[in-house]
Amino acid sequence: MEALKQKIREQGLVLSDQVLKVDAFLNHQIDPRLMQQIGHEFAERFAGLGITKIVTIEASGIAPAVMAGLELGVPVIFARKYQSLTLKDNLYISSVFSFTKQTESTLAISAKHLGADDHVLMIDDFLANGHAARALIDLIGQSGASIAGIGVVIEKSFQRGRAELDAQGYRVESLARIASLDDGQVRFLD
Ligand code: G4P
Ligand code: NA
Ligand code: NA
């Protein structure tokens, strides 16, 4: 998606050869027009698949997921993050380890909002090592829902998440694919 790549070139900050900071339009300040275009692009790529729900993770997945939900005309669920959980009634739960933050957290979705009749589009802001995606797949699996595909705003293709999801047979659509962040430069895959 050219508008997104352009934004990354203009406003992305390469923090290291592993981390791209996009606080100017995605992770802190949000560019609503760009998010709208992102939602439109996801809706086009996943049109006609019978998607009934979008599932993402708080916080940064919510903006692109809501825009896609608006375009596809389906509700958006965000998995909530907890440090620990005492009350687990009627919740699907899974734990996820964040490499960037070096913390483990628990993700939860209420059983009220997702069930075996649902066909889900997963959306997230970043795909790196795929830990968050794996936890979401686990949660959705607990509900009995099926997965239509996975939409990613920014994929770091040099980390293992994309290859693993491909190997598992998921349809992954990433709007910007980054081949490397070496020497302070963003290099896109195509
Ligand atoms: P993984 O889920 O793909 O394995 O990635 P990892 O554990 O490394 O990611 C943990 C958090 O960092 C996630 O956000 C993920 O979206 C984000 N992340 C991963 N790589 C980058 C990067 O290069 N740049 C930025 N800006 N974020 C990255 P989160 O903890 O869920 O945070 P939130 O922003 O949604 O609150
Ligand atoms: Na994030
Ligand atoms: Na995220």
Side-chain angles (χ1 to χ4, degrees):
M1 182 183 167
E2 196 45 48
L4 173 61
K5 288 186 188 172
Q6 192 57 32
K7 194 78 166 179
I8 292 169
R9 283 189 205 100
E10 286 168 5
Q11 298 187 359
L13 289 173
V14 178
L15 288 194
S16 70
D17 58 9
Q18 301 285 311
V19 179
L20 174 71
K21 196 172 165 94
V22 287
D23 276 19
F25 60 92
L26 182 57
N27 289 141
H28 190 25
Q29 177 170 261
I30 291 171
D31 180 332
R33 178 71 70 196
L34 180 65
M35 288 307 131
Q36 191 177 40
Q37 292 169 342
I38 284 170
H40 183 79
E41 183 75 23
F42 280 137
E44 275 190 353
R45 295 191 190 199
F46 292 103
L49 299 180
I51 289 161
T52 63
K53 296 270 167 83
I54 293 176
V55 172
T56 188
I57 306 181
E58 66 171 340
S60 300
I62 296 176
V66 166
M67 291 302 183
L70 190 63
E71 292 274 341
L72 287 167
V74 298
V76 177
I77 301 165
F78 59 95
R80 306 185 66 151
K81 287 177 189 160
Y82 298 89
Q83 282 319 58
S84 64
L85 261 186
T86 44
L87 204 64
K88 294 174 181 170
D89 286 0
N90 228 19
L91 290 177
Y92 308 123
I93 60 167
S94 187
S95 65
V96 60
F97 183 78
S98 165
F99 269 104
T100 43
K101 293 177 183 157
Q102 291 289 312
T103 53
E104 174 136 318
S105 58
T106 302
L107 289 183
I109 291 177
S110 166
K112 255 190 308 211
H113 303 304
L114 197 64
D117 293 342
D118 285 311
H119 196 44
V120 172
L121 170 59
M122 271 173 52
I123 286 187
D124 211 355
D125 57 338
F126 269 91
L127 175 60
N129 292 300
H131 293 95
R134 220 170 297 146
L136 266 194
I137 289 169
D138 178 36
L139 284 180
I140 294 164
Q142 290 173 40
S143 76
S146 52
I147 295 174
I150 301 171
V152 171
V153 180
I154 303 175
E155 170 188 306
K156 291 185 293 180
S157 312
F158 56 90
Q159 292 174 312
R160 57 202 277 228
R162 173 61 189 261
E164 285 187 3
L165 293 173
D166 282 346
Q168 290 161 21
Y170 291 104
R171 169 162 175 198
V172 181
E173 294 284 345
S174 301
L175 305 188
R177 304 187 69 194
I178 295 177
S180 99
L181 294 171
D182 293 346
D183 311 315
Q185 285 280 110
V186 180
R187 288 185 188 81
F188 293 102
L189 206 59
D190 13 75

